[in-house]
Amino acid sequence: MDQNAGSKHIVKSFDDDLKALNNVIGEMGGLAEAQLNRAVEALSKRNPDLASDVVESDRRIDALEHDVGVMTVRMLALRQPMAQDLREVVAAIKIASDIERIGDYAKNIAKRALILTQSTPMRPAASIPRMAALAQEIVKQVLDAYLDKDPARAHAAWLRDEEVDEMYNSLLRELLTYMMEDPRNIGPATHLLFIAKNIERIGDHATNIAEIVYFMVEGKNLDESRPKGDTTNVGIND
């Protein structure tokens, strides 16, 4: 085999490895999106069976993150990528970690939805699906940006995190009002507050992914301050 043919074979092998890696990241992202959607559906429909299923299904995302770790270590060891190629491999490791955390937050939402099926519905719960739908839309946008290597789309998604924060702040104020009006509301309102915070954190992880994608493609960091609309000081990191 001549040197040119050998080089082409190495390049094709690396491209094949990257394609397989992208497929796993895409599957992880799709599962995380579905988990968030199903967790919020369990809350809205007060469906304990669906909530329990979401909790159990989180293991699949964890297993895929492990697969990403194995694949990237192999690529780093065998291919010794440089520059853009190296950024893509490192980006996959970081993005898989963010997706895994998104899955964890969806699981946390399902756990609290399970508890809330045993209490009287509260009106502020109606705001949760809208907030979750926005966060899910941003997650999809950043994952599409990753798969398409589209820094402009990643930047556009990055700017939208402030919308999630504003919805969280509004819901927080509403829930605090309910707590003050009637002490019996404190328990369920607290669970809803944790759920809202989990969704806000999902938005933060989507923003992380947007920053990673931008750096992966452009080779430089976004030169703007991260948008942040969460002005609360409530230490909720469930």
CSV table of all heavy atoms in Angstrom, one decimal, residues 161-211:
chain,number,residue,atom,x,y,z
A,161,ASP,N,-31.3,31.0,26.5
A,161,ASP,CA,-31.3,30.5,27.9
A,161,ASP,C,-32.0,31.6,28.8
A,161,ASP,O,-32.6,31.2,29.8
A,161,ASP,CB,-29.9,30.2,28.4
A,161,ASP,CG,-29.9,29.7,29.8
A,161,ASP,OD1,-30.6,28.7,30.1
A,161,ASP,OD2,-29.2,30.2,30.7
A,162,GLU,N,-31.8,32.8,28.5
A,162,GLU,CA,-32.4,33.9,29.3
A,162,GLU,C,-33.9,33.8,29.4
A,162,GLU,O,-34.5,34.1,30.4
A,162,GLU,CB,-32.0,35.3,28.8
A,162,GLU,CG,-32.3,36.4,29.7
A,162,GLU,CD,-31.7,37.7,29.2
A,162,GLU,OE1,-31.1,37.7,28.2
A,162,GLU,OE2,-31.9,38.7,30.0
A,163,GLU,N,-34.5,33.3,28.3
A,163,GLU,CA,-36.0,33.1,28.3
A,163,GLU,C,-36.4,32.1,29.3
A,163,GLU,O,-37.4,32.2,30.0
A,163,GLU,CB,-36.4,32.6,26.9
A,163,GLU,CG,-36.2,33.5,25.7
A,163,GLU,CD,-36.6,32.9,24.4
A,163,GLU,OE1,-37.7,32.3,24.3
A,163,GLU,OE2,-35.8,33.0,23.5
A,164,VAL,N,-35.6,31.0,29.4
A,164,VAL,CA,-35.9,30.0,30.5
A,164,VAL,C,-35.8,30.5,31.8
A,164,VAL,O,-36.6,30.3,32.7
A,164,VAL,CB,-35.0,28.7,30.3
A,164,VAL,CG1,-35.3,27.7,31.4
A,164,VAL,CG2,-35.1,28.1,28.9
A,165,ASP,N,-34.7,31.3,32.1
A,165,ASP,CA,-34.5,32.0,33.4
A,165,ASP,C,-35.7,32.9,33.7
A,165,ASP,O,-36.1,32.9,34.9
A,165,ASP,CB,-33.2,32.7,33.4
A,165,ASP,CG,-32.0,31.8,33.3
A,165,ASP,OD1,-32.1,30.6,33.6
A,165,ASP,OD2,-30.9,32.3,32.8
A,166,GLU,N,-36.2,33.6,32.8
A,166,GLU,CA,-37.3,34.6,33.1
A,166,GLU,C,-38.5,33.8,33.4
A,166,GLU,O,-39.3,34.2,34.3
A,166,GLU,CB,-37.5,35.5,31.8
A,166,GLU,CG,-36.4,36.5,31.6
A,166,GLU,CD,-36.5,37.2,30.3
A,166,GLU,OE1,-37.4,36.8,29.5
A,166,GLU,OE2,-35.7,38.2,30.1
A,167,MET,N,-38.8,32.7,32.7
A,167,MET,CA,-40.0,31.9,33.1
A,167,MET,C,-39.8,31.3,34.5
A,167,MET,O,-40.8,31.2,35.3
A,167,MET,CB,-40.1,30.8,32.1
A,167,MET,CG,-40.6,31.3,30.7
A,167,MET,SD,-40.9,29.9,29.5
A,167,MET,CE,-42.5,29.4,30.1
A,168,TYR,N,-38.6,30.9,34.8
A,168,TYR,CA,-38.3,30.4,36.2
A,168,TYR,C,-38.6,31.4,37.2
A,168,TYR,O,-39.2,31.2,38.3
A,168,TYR,CB,-36.9,29.9,36.3
A,168,TYR,CG,-36.5,29.5,37.7
A,168,TYR,CD1,-37.0,28.4,38.3
A,168,TYR,CD2,-35.6,30.3,38.4
A,168,TYR,CE1,-36.7,28.1,39.7
A,168,TYR,CE2,-35.3,30.0,39.7
A,168,TYR,CZ,-35.8,28.9,40.3
A,168,TYR,OH,-35.5,28.6,41.6
A,169,ASN,N,-38.1,32.6,37.0
A,169,ASN,CA,-38.3,33.7,38.0
A,169,ASN,C,-39.8,34.0,38.2
A,169,ASN,O,-40.2,34.3,39.3
A,169,ASN,CB,-37.6,35.0,37.5
A,169,ASN,CG,-36.1,34.9,37.5
A,169,ASN,OD1,-35.5,34.1,38.3
A,169,ASN,ND2,-35.4,35.7,36.7
A,170,SER,N,-40.5,34.0,37.1
A,170,SER,CA,-41.9,34.3,37.2
A,170,SER,C,-42.7,33.2,38.0
A,170,SER,O,-43.5,33.5,38.8
A,170,SER,CB,-42.5,34.4,35.8
A,170,SER,OG,-43.9,34.6,35.8
A,171,LEU,N,-42.3,32.0,37.7
A,171,LEU,CA,-42.9,30.8,38.4
A,171,LEU,C,-42.6,30.8,39.9
A,171,LEU,O,-43.4,30.5,40.8
A,171,LEU,CB,-42.5,29.5,37.8
A,171,LEU,CG,-43.2,28.3,38.3
A,171,LEU,CD1,-44.7,28.3,38.2
A,171,LEU,CD2,-42.7,27.1,37.5
A,172,LEU,N,-41.3,31.2,40.2
A,172,LEU,CA,-40.9,31.3,41.6
A,172,LEU,C,-41.7,32.3,42.3
A,172,LEU,O,-42.2,32.0,43.5
A,172,LEU,CB,-39.4,31.7,41.6
A,172,LEU,CG,-38.8,32.0,43.0
A,172,LEU,CD1,-38.9,30.8,43.9
A,172,LEU,CD2,-37.4,32.5,42.9
A,173,ARG,N,-41.9,33.4,41.8
A,173,ARG,CA,-42.7,34.5,42.5
A,173,ARG,C,-44.2,34.0,42.7
A,173,ARG,O,-44.7,34.2,43.8
A,173,ARG,CB,-42.7,35.8,41.7
A,173,ARG,CG,-41.4,36.5,41.7
A,173,ARG,CD,-41.5,37.9,41.1
A,173,ARG,NE,-41.8,37.8,39.6
A,173,ARG,CZ,-40.9,37.8,38.7
A,173,ARG,NH1,-39.6,37.9,39.1
A,173,ARG,NH2,-41.2,37.8,37.4
A,174,GLU,N,-44.7,33.3,41.7
A,174,GLU,CA,-46.1,32.8,41.8
A,174,GLU,C,-46.2,31.7,42.9
A,174,GLU,O,-47.1,31.7,43.7
A,174,GLU,CB,-46.6,32.2,40.5
A,174,GLU,CG,-48.0,31.8,40.5
A,174,GLU,CD,-48.5,31.3,39.1
A,174,GLU,OE1,-47.7,31.2,38.2
A,174,GLU,OE2,-49.7,31.0,39.0
A,175,LEU,N,-45.2,30.8,43.0
A,175,LEU,CA,-45.2,29.8,44.0
A,175,LEU,C,-45.0,30.3,45.4
A,175,LEU,O,-45.6,29.8,46.3
A,175,LEU,CB,-44.1,28.7,43.6
A,175,LEU,CG,-44.4,27.8,42.4
A,175,LEU,CD1,-43.2,27.0,42.0
A,175,LEU,CD2,-45.6,26.8,42.8
A,176,LEU,N,-44.1,31.3,45.5
A,176,LEU,CA,-43.9,31.9,46.8
A,176,LEU,C,-45.2,32.6,47.3
A,176,LEU,O,-45.5,32.5,48.5
A,176,LEU,CB,-42.8,32.9,46.8
A,176,LEU,CG,-41.4,32.4,46.6
A,176,LEU,CD1,-40.4,33.5,46.5
A,176,LEU,CD2,-41.0,31.5,47.8
A,177,THR,N,-46.0,33.2,46.4
A,177,THR,CA,-47.3,33.8,46.8
A,177,THR,C,-48.2,32.7,47.3
A,177,THR,O,-48.9,32.9,48.3
A,177,THR,CB,-47.9,34.5,45.6
A,177,THR,OG1,-47.0,35.5,45.1
A,177,THR,CG2,-49.3,35.1,45.9
A,178,TYR,N,-48.3,31.5,46.6
A,178,TYR,CA,-49.1,30.4,47.1
A,178,TYR,C,-48.7,29.9,48.4
A,178,TYR,O,-49.6,29.6,49.3
A,178,TYR,CB,-49.1,29.3,46.1
A,178,TYR,CG,-50.2,29.4,45.0
A,178,TYR,CD1,-50.1,30.3,44.0
A,178,TYR,CD2,-51.2,28.5,45.0
A,178,TYR,CE1,-51.1,30.4,43.0
A,178,TYR,CE2,-52.2,28.6,44.1
A,178,TYR,CZ,-52.2,29.5,43.1
A,178,TYR,OH,-53.1,29.6,42.1
A,179,MET,N,-47.5,29.9,48.7
A,179,MET,CA,-47.0,29.4,50.0
A,179,MET,C,-47.4,30.3,51.1
A,179,MET,O,-47.8,29.9,52.2
A,179,MET,CB,-45.4,29.3,50.0
A,179,MET,CG,-44.9,28.2,49.1
A,179,MET,SD,-43.1,28.1,49.2
A,179,MET,CE,-42.7,26.9,48.0
A,180,MET,N,-47.3,31.7,50.9
A,180,MET,CA,-47.7,32.6,51.9
A,180,MET,C,-49.2,32.7,52.1
A,180,MET,O,-49.6,33.0,53.2
A,180,MET,CB,-47.1,34.0,51.5
A,180,MET,CG,-45.6,34.1,51.5
A,180,MET,SD,-45.0,35.8,51.2
A,180,MET,CE,-45.3,36.0,49.5
A,181,GLU,N,-49.9,32.4,51.1
A,181,GLU,CA,-51.4,32.5,51.2
A,181,GLU,C,-52.0,31.4,52.1
A,181,GLU,O,-52.9,31.5,52.8
A,181,GLU,CB,-52.1,32.4,49.8
A,181,GLU,CG,-51.9,33.8,49.1
A,181,GLU,CD,-52.5,33.6,47.7
A,181,GLU,OE1,-52.9,32.5,47.3
A,181,GLU,OE2,-52.7,34.7,47.0
A,182,ASP,N,-51.3,30.2,52.0
A,182,ASP,CA,-51.9,29.0,52.7
A,182,ASP,C,-50.7,28.1,53.0
A,182,ASP,O,-50.1,27.5,52.1
A,182,ASP,CB,-52.9,28.3,51.9
A,182,ASP,CG,-53.6,27.2,52.6
A,182,ASP,OD1,-53.1,26.7,53.7
A,182,ASP,OD2,-54.7,26.8,52.2
A,183,PRO,N,-50.4,27.8,54.3
A,183,PRO,CA,-49.3,26.9,54.7
A,183,PRO,C,-49.4,25.5,54.1
A,183,PRO,O,-48.4,24.8,53.9
A,183,PRO,CB,-49.3,26.9,56.2
A,183,PRO,CG,-50.0,28.2,56.6
A,183,PRO,CD,-51.0,28.5,55.5
A,184,ARG,N,-50.7,25.1,53.8
A,184,ARG,CA,-50.9,23.8,53.2
A,184,ARG,C,-50.3,23.7,51.8
A,184,ARG,O,-50.1,22.6,51.3
A,184,ARG,CB,-52.4,23.5,53.2
A,184,ARG,CG,-53.0,23.2,54.6
A,184,ARG,CD,-54.5,23.1,54.5
A,184,ARG,NE,-55.1,24.3,54.0
A,184,ARG,CZ,-56.4,24.5,53.9
A,184,ARG,NH1,-57.3,23.5,54.3
A,184,ARG,NH2,-56.9,25.6,53.5
A,185,ASN,N,-50.1,24.8,51.2
A,185,ASN,CA,-49.5,24.8,49.8
A,185,ASN,C,-48.0,24.6,49.8
A,185,ASN,O,-47.4,24.4,48.8
A,185,ASN,CB,-49.8,26.1,49.1
A,185,ASN,CG,-51.3,26.2,48.8
A,185,ASN,OD1,-52.0,25.2,48.6
A,185,ASN,ND2,-51.8,27.5,48.7
A,186,ILE,N,-47.3,24.7,51.0
A,186,ILE,CA,-45.9,24.7,51.0
A,186,ILE,C,-45.3,23.5,50.5
A,186,ILE,O,-44.3,23.5,49.7
A,186,ILE,CB,-45.4,25.0,52.5
A,186,ILE,CG1,-45.7,26.5,52.9
A,186,ILE,CG2,-43.9,24.8,52.6
A,186,ILE,CD1,-45.4,26.8,54.3
A,187,GLY,N,-45.8,22.3,50.9
A,187,GLY,CA,-45.3,21.0,50.4
A,187,GLY,C,-45.3,20.9,48.9
A,187,GLY,O,-44.2,20.7,48.3
A,188,PRO,N,-46.5,20.9,48.3
A,188,PRO,CA,-46.6,20.7,46.9
A,188,PRO,C,-45.9,21.9,46.1
A,188,PRO,O,-45.2,21.6,45.1
A,188,PRO,CB,-48.1,20.7,46.5
A,188,PRO,CG,-48.7,21.2,47.8
A,188,PRO,CD,-47.9,20.9,48.9
A,189,ALA,N,-45.9,23.1,46.6
A,189,ALA,CA,-45.3,24.2,46.0
A,189,ALA,C,-43.8,24.0,46.0
A,189,ALA,O,-43.1,24.4,45.0
A,189,ALA,CB,-45.7,25.5,46.6
A,190,THR,N,-43.2,23.5,47.0
A,190,THR,CA,-41.8,23.2,47.1
A,190,THR,C,-41.4,22.2,46.0
A,190,THR,O,-40.3,22.4,45.4
A,190,THR,CB,-41.4,22.8,48.5
A,190,THR,OG1,-41.8,23.8,49.5
A,190,THR,CG2,-39.9,22.5,48.6
A,191,HIS,N,-42.2,21.2,45.9
A,191,HIS,CA,-41.8,20.2,44.8
A,191,HIS,C,-41.9,20.8,43.4
A,191,HIS,O,-41.0,20.6,42.6
A,191,HIS,CB,-42.8,19.0,44.9
A,191,HIS,CG,-42.6,18.1,46.1
A,191,HIS,ND1,-41.4,17.4,46.2
A,191,HIS,CD2,-43.4,17.8,47.1
A,191,HIS,CE1,-41.5,16.7,47.3
A,191,HIS,NE2,-42.7,16.9,47.9
A,192,LEU,N,-42.9,21.7,43.2
A,192,LEU,CA,-43.0,22.4,41.9
A,192,LEU,C,-41.8,23.3,41.7
A,192,LEU,O,-41.3,23.5,40.6
A,192,LEU,CB,-44.3,23.2,41.8
A,192,LEU,CG,-45.5,22.3,41.6
A,192,LEU,CD1,-46.8,23.2,41.7
A,192,LEU,CD2,-45.5,21.6,40.3
A,193,LEU,N,-41.3,23.9,42.8
A,193,LEU,CA,-40.2,24.8,42.7
A,193,LEU,C,-38.9,24.1,42.3
A,193,LEU,O,-38.1,24.5,41.5
A,193,LEU,CB,-40.0,25.5,44.1
A,193,LEU,CG,-38.9,26.6,44.1
A,193,LEU,CD1,-39.1,27.7,43.0
A,193,LEU,CD2,-38.9,27.3,45.5
A,194,PHE,N,-38.7,22.9,42.9
A,194,PHE,CA,-37.6,22.0,42.6
A,194,PHE,C,-37.7,21.6,41.1
A,194,PHE,O,-36.7,21.5,40.4
A,194,PHE,CB,-37.5,20.8,43.5
A,194,PHE,CG,-36.8,21.1,44.8
A,194,PHE,CD1,-37.4,21.3,45.9
A,194,PHE,CD2,-35.4,21.0,44.8
A,194,PHE,CE1,-36.7,21.5,47.1
A,194,PHE,CE2,-34.7,21.2,45.9
A,194,PHE,CZ,-35.3,21.5,47.1
A,195,ILE,N,-38.9,21.3,40.7
A,195,ILE,CA,-39.1,20.9,39.3
A,195,ILE,C,-38.7,22.0,38.3
A,195,ILE,O,-38.0,21.8,37.3
A,195,ILE,CB,-40.5,20.4,39.0
A,195,ILE,CG1,-40.8,19.1,39.7
A,195,ILE,CG2,-40.9,20.4,37.5
A,195,ILE,CD1,-42.2,18.6,39.6
A,196,ALA,N,-39.2,23.2,38.7
A,196,ALA,CA,-38.9,24.4,37.8
A,196,ALA,C,-37.3,24.6,37.8
A,196,ALA,O,-36.8,25.0,36.8
A,196,ALA,CB,-39.6,25.6,38.4
A,197,LYS,N,-36.7,24.5,39.0
A,197,LYS,CA,-35.3,24.7,39.0
A,197,LYS,C,-34.5,23.6,38.2
A,197,LYS,O,-33.5,23.9,37.5
A,197,LYS,CB,-34.8,24.6,40.5
A,197,LYS,CG,-33.3,25.0,40.6
A,197,LYS,CD,-33.0,26.4,40.2
A,197,LYS,CE,-31.6,26.8,40.3
A,197,LYS,NZ,-31.3,28.2,39.8
A,198,ASN,N,-35.0,22.4,38.2
A,198,ASN,CA,-34.4,21.4,37.4
A,198,ASN,C,-34.5,21.7,35.9
A,198,ASN,O,-33.6,21.5,35.1
A,198,ASN,CB,-35.1,20.0,37.6
A,198,ASN,CG,-34.7,19.4,38.9
A,198,ASN,OD1,-33.5,19.5,39.4
A,198,ASN,ND2,-35.6,18.6,39.6
A,199,ILE,N,-35.6,22.3,35.5
A,199,ILE,CA,-35.8,22.7,34.1
A,199,ILE,C,-34.8,23.8,33.8
A,199,ILE,O,-34.2,23.9,32.7
A,199,ILE,CB,-37.3,23.1,33.8
A,199,ILE,CG1,-38.2,21.9,34.0
A,199,ILE,CG2,-37.4,23.6,32.4
A,199,ILE,CD1,-39.7,22.2,33.9
A,200,GLU,N,-34.7,24.8,34.7
A,200,GLU,CA,-33.8,25.9,34.5
A,200,GLU,C,-32.4,25.4,34.4
A,200,GLU,O,-31.6,25.9,33.5
A,200,GLU,CB,-33.9,26.8,35.7
A,200,GLU,CG,-33.2,28.2,35.5
A,200,GLU,CD,-31.7,28.1,36.1
A,200,GLU,OE1,-31.4,27.2,36.9
A,200,GLU,OE2,-30.9,28.9,35.6
A,201,ARG,N,-32.0,24.3,35.1
A,201,ARG,CA,-30.7,23.8,35.0
A,201,ARG,C,-30.5,23.0,33.7
A,201,ARG,O,-29.4,23.0,33.1
A,201,ARG,CB,-30.4,22.8,36.2
A,201,ARG,CG,-30.3,23.5,37.5
A,201,ARG,CD,-29.1,24.4,37.6
A,201,ARG,NE,-27.8,23.6,37.6
A,201,ARG,CZ,-26.8,23.9,36.8
A,201,ARG,NH1,-26.8,25.0,36.0
A,201,ARG,NH2,-25.7,23.1,36.8
A,202,ILE,N,-31.5,22.4,33.2
A,202,ILE,CA,-31.5,21.8,31.8
A,202,ILE,C,-31.1,22.9,30.8
A,202,ILE,O,-30.3,22.7,29.9
A,202,ILE,CB,-32.8,21.1,31.5
A,202,ILE,CG1,-32.9,19.8,32.3
A,202,ILE,CG2,-32.9,20.8,30.0
A,202,ILE,CD1,-34.3,19.1,32.2
A,203,GLY,N,-31.7,24.1,30.9
A,203,GLY,CA,-31.4,25.2,30.0
A,203,GLY,C,-29.9,25.5,30.1
A,203,GLY,O,-29.3,25.8,29.1
A,204,ASP,N,-29.4,25.5,31.4
A,204,ASP,CA,-28.0,25.8,31.6
A,204,ASP,C,-27.1,24.8,30.8
A,204,ASP,O,-26.1,25.2,30.2
A,204,ASP,CB,-27.6,25.9,33.0
A,204,ASP,CG,-28.2,27.1,33.8
A,204,ASP,OD1,-28.6,28.1,33.1
A,204,ASP,OD2,-28.2,27.1,35.0
A,205,HIS,N,-27.4,23.6,30.9
A,205,HIS,CA,-26.6,22.5,30.3
A,205,HIS,C,-26.7,22.6,28.8
A,205,HIS,O,-25.7,22.4,28.0
A,205,HIS,CB,-27.0,21.1,30.8
A,205,HIS,CG,-26.5,20.8,32.1
A,205,HIS,ND1,-25.2,20.4,32.3
A,205,HIS,CD2,-27.0,20.8,33.4
A,205,HIS,CE1,-24.9,20.2,33.6
A,205,HIS,NE2,-26.1,20.5,34.3
A,206,ALA,N,-27.9,23.0,28.3
A,206,ALA,CA,-28.0,23.3,26.8
A,206,ALA,C,-27.1,24.4,26.4
A,206,ALA,O,-26.5,24.4,25.3
A,206,ALA,CB,-29.5,23.6,26.5
A,207,THR,N,-27.0,25.4,27.3
A,207,THR,CA,-26.1,26.6,27.0
A,207,THR,C,-24.7,26.1,27.0
A,207,THR,O,-23.9,26.5,26.1
A,207,THR,CB,-26.3,27.7,28.1
A,207,THR,OG1,-27.7,28.0,28.1
A,207,THR,CG2,-25.5,28.9,27.7
A,208,ASN,N,-24.3,25.2,27.9
A,208,ASN,CA,-23.0,24.6,27.9
A,208,ASN,C,-22.7,24.0,26.6
A,208,ASN,O,-21.6,24.2,26.0
A,208,ASN,CB,-22.8,23.6,29.0
A,208,ASN,CG,-22.8,24.2,30.4
A,208,ASN,OD1,-22.6,25.4,30.6
A,208,ASN,ND2,-22.9,23.3,31.4
A,209,ILE,N,-23.6,23.2,26.1
A,209,ILE,CA,-23.4,22.5,24.8
A,209,ILE,C,-23.2,23.5,23.7
A,209,ILE,O,-22.4,23.3,22.8
A,209,ILE,CB,-24.6,21.5,24.5
A,209,ILE,CG1,-24.7,20.4,25.6
A,209,ILE,CG2,-24.5,20.9,23.1
A,209,ILE,CD1,-25.9,19.5,25.5
A,210,ALA,N,-24.0,24.5,23.7
A,210,ALA,CA,-23.9,25.6,22.6
A,210,ALA,C,-22.5,26.1,22.6
A,210,ALA,O,-21.9,26.3,21.6
A,210,ALA,CB,-24.9,26.7,22.9
A,211,GLU,N,-21.9,26.4,23.8
A,211,GLU,CA,-20.6,27.0,23.9
A,211,GLU,C,-19.6,25.9,23.4
A,211,GLU,O,-18.6,26.3,22.7
A,211,GLU,CB,-20.3,27.4,25.3
A,211,GLU,CG,-21.1,28.6,25.8
A,211,GLU,CD,-20.9,28.9,27.3
A,211,GLU,OE1,-20.2,28.1,28.0
A,211,GLU,OE2,-21.4,29.9,27.7
